[in-house]
Amino acid sequence: MNPEELTFLLPPATLAGLADAWLREDCPSLNYAALVTGAASSQAALWAKSPGVLAGRPFFDAIFAQLNCQVSWSFPEGSKLVPVVKVAEVRGPAHCLLLGERVALNMLARCSGVASAAAAAVEIARGTGWAGHVAGTRKTTPGFRLVEKYGLLVGGAAPHRYDLGGLLMVKDNHIVAAGSVEKAIRGARRAASFTLKVEVECSSLREAVEAAQAGADLVLLAAGALDFSLKLFSEGATPVPYARLS
């Protein structure tokens, strides 16, 4: 997918809400520094000083839109930046530029970092002949999940589930609580809508086969399960339609 088209995934109201929350977090009361700079019309330049993938333009724009500033970009979303290069210019009242500066830079650096790491992982995977998906997890930074999931997409990776409602994942603790893999999956199937897939975390070949036979849609090969996961893939004996190695 064209990275520029990914902007359509982000509802304007959501972007505005996030930008407002970030700005309020950074300046919840009095902005004394505004008295130093005043409201003179000014401009600032955004420079890339490290190589990477540019990601986060919609969030950056939303932050400065809250502050009545205008952003002009020199590169499209998803561009591979080679330093040192000017990426954008921002124009507006001086005190507004400085109020949004740190918030916008923090967000853009985070999103671009995730996109750059994702792009590198996808490139390595493709270089080995891997034809499956490279996906992220729900282990995101609180308050930045949408930014980081979006960064994965810009980098060419899959976001996996966005939240607990996007996929019913049965992990080791669920299996222990239920009493067995089969009982855990049976309970998951009762709870899940017919549109919701069930993924089961397995730490052995026996568990993977048991999960598949019990009706799992996906098998998550847990950390430390490299030996049996390689066996599954090398022999083409994957016991489910699709197995994801984590």
Side-chain angles (χ1 to χ4, degrees), residues 137-139 160-161 164 167-181 183-185 188 198-203 207 218 220-223 244 246:
T137 71
R138 201 167 48 86
K139 298 170 184 176
H160 198 235
R161 60 172 177 171
L164 289 172
L167 173 75
L168 206 166
M169 184 180 289
V170 178
K171 300 178 72 68
D172 53 356
N173 290 333
H174 299 111
I175 293 171
V176 171
S180 70
V181 171
K183 289 180 180 179
I185 295 177
V198 174
E199 182 173 43
V200 182
E201 181 181 44
C202 299
S203 57
E207 282 189 356
L218 303 165
L220 171 65
L221 306 178
R244 182 171 67 85
S246 173

Side-chain angles (χ1 to χ4, degrees), residues 10-149:
L10 303 170
T14 300
L15 288 173
L18 283 172
D20 182 66
W22 293 333
L23 290 167
R24 288 178 184 273
E25 178 186 50
D26 203 40
C27 186
S29 57
L30 301 174
N31 181 18
Y32 291 105
L35 296 177
V36 179
T37 58
S41 180
S42 304
Q43 71 177 48
L46 172 67
W47 293 86
K49 297 181 180 179
S50 300
V53 176
L54 173 62
R57 280 184 36 165
F59 302 98
F60 194 94
D61 289 342
I63 290 168
F64 282 109
Q66 291 283 321
L67 300 170
N68 297 314
C69 296
Q70 295 75 46
V71 182
S72 299
W73 293 93
S74 302
F75 293 90
E77 189 82 313
S79 296
K80 292 186 176 180
L81 302 176
V82 179
V84 171
V85 65
K86 185 165 70 173
V87 179
E89 287 187 350
V90 187
R91 294 179 173 81
H95 70 294
C96 291
L97 289 177
L98 293 173
L99 183 58
E101 175 191 23
R102 177 45 51 198
V103 174
L105 288 176
N106 286 352
M107 179 285 308
L108 195 70
R110 186 67 181 170
C111 193
S112 296
V114 170
S116 300
V122 170
E123 184 176 358
I124 291 172
R126 296 293 175 262
T128 64
W130 170 252
H133 297 285
V134 175
T137 71
R138 201 167 48 86
K139 298 170 184 176
T140 53
T141 307
F144 269 78
R145 179 168 297 181
L146 185 60
V147 173
E148 292 170 357
K149 289 292 190 178

Side-chain angles (χ1 to χ4, degrees), residues 203-220:
S203 57
S204 69
L205 180 57
R206 180 187 59 79
E207 282 189 356
V209 173
E210 186 179 354
Q213 291 175 342
D217 298 299
L218 303 165
V219 168
L220 171 65

